[in-house]
């Protein structure tokens, strides 16, 4: 599953933006979103998702239940 950013919790601080190794996070009008096509949950890069680690607000970057789990090649 890819991660997603809960808009209701996001403060727009952009801490996650530069941390994503896949450049899956984008910003538009101070709203941040994770592209599920690019998100690998940081598998193969880090032990934990970097958006989750960088976000100062707990439970803002969460698993997107509508996207299948990422499968490494």
């Amino acid at each position: 599953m890819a991660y997603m950013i809960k808009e209701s919790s996001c403060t727009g601080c952009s801490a996650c933006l530069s941390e994503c190794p896949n450049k899956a996070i984008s910003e538009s009008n101070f709203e941040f979103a994770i592209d599920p096509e690019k998100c690998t949950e940081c598998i193969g890069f880090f032990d934990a998702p970097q958006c989750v680690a960088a976000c100062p607000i707990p439970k803002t970057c969460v698993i997107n239940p509508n996207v299948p789990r990422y499968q490494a090649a």
Side-chain angles (χ1 to χ4, degrees), residues 8-26:
S8 61
S9 301
C10 182
T11 63
C13 74
S14 76
C16 61
L17 195 59
S18 64
E19 297 301 316
C20 180
N22 298 304
K23 307 294 183 214
I25 303 172
S26 61

Side-chain angles (χ1 to χ4, degrees), residues 8-56:
S8 61
S9 301
C10 182
T11 63
C13 74
S14 76
C16 61
L17 195 59
S18 64
E19 297 301 316
C20 180
N22 298 304
K23 307 294 183 214
I25 303 172
S26 61
E27 178 267 328
S28 178
N29 296 320
F30 300 105
E31 292 183 7
F32 292 82
I34 298 175
D35 181 344
E37 295 292 320
K38 293 181 181 179
C39 180
T40 64
E41 305 166 38
C42 291
I43 294 171
F45 293 98
F46 299 98
D47 291 335
Q50 295 303 285
C51 56
V52 175
C55 185

Side-chain angles (χ1 to χ4, degrees), residues 1-4 35-37 39 41 63-70:
M1 294 180 178
Y3 276 77
M4 60 185 248
D35 181 344
E37 295 292 320
C39 180
E41 305 166 38
I63 290 286
N64 185 338
N66 300 317
V67 179
R69 183 105 185 142
Y70 174 75

